[in-house]
Amino acid sequence: QRLWLLVLMTIFILMLPVIGTTVGLFLVMITMMRVTGVTSWKVLVLVAAATTAFVHALLIYALGSQLPQGVFKPLFSAIGI
């Protein structure tokens, strides 16, 4: 289980420039919770969405960090995120 979490974090870090922080964090949160035994899709999606929204609001809006947005940058810009 720990090995899988390490592998997932490595993939997340390597893919960050491509998929971006927001989408990448959402996907890695779901996958990591699934690996650790969470089976309810409702819980997976709600926790991942809440965590991603919090991190996005804190780091990008409040602190003005320049985190990778990946291939979704045009979409995020179009909808004002």
Side-chain angles (χ1 to χ4, degrees):
Q1 186 175 346
R2 289 181 187 171
L3 179 61
W4 278 112
L5 295 176
L6 180 62
V7 168
L8 288 171
M9 283 307 298
T10 303
I11 292 170
F12 170 66
I13 292 167
L14 293 174
M15 293 300 293
L16 206 52
V18 177
I19 60 175
T21 304
T22 306
V23 174
L25 182 59
F26 180 78
L27 295 174
V28 81
M29 286 289 300
I30 287 179
T31 308
M32 290 178 96
M33 287 189 297
R34 189 78 176 112
V35 167
T36 58
V38 178
T39 57
S40 168
W41 282 102
K42 183 178 179 180
V43 171
L44 290 169
V45 171
L46 287 175
V47 170
T51 303
T52 302
F54 177 76
V55 168
H56 187 85
L58 178 68
L59 294 178
I60 294 175
Y61 285 122
L63 298 176
S65 298
Q66 296 295 319
L67 299 174
Q69 294 180 348
V71 296
F72 298 100
K73 184 177 182 174
L75 174 65
F76 291 152
S77 296
I79 60 175
I81 296 179

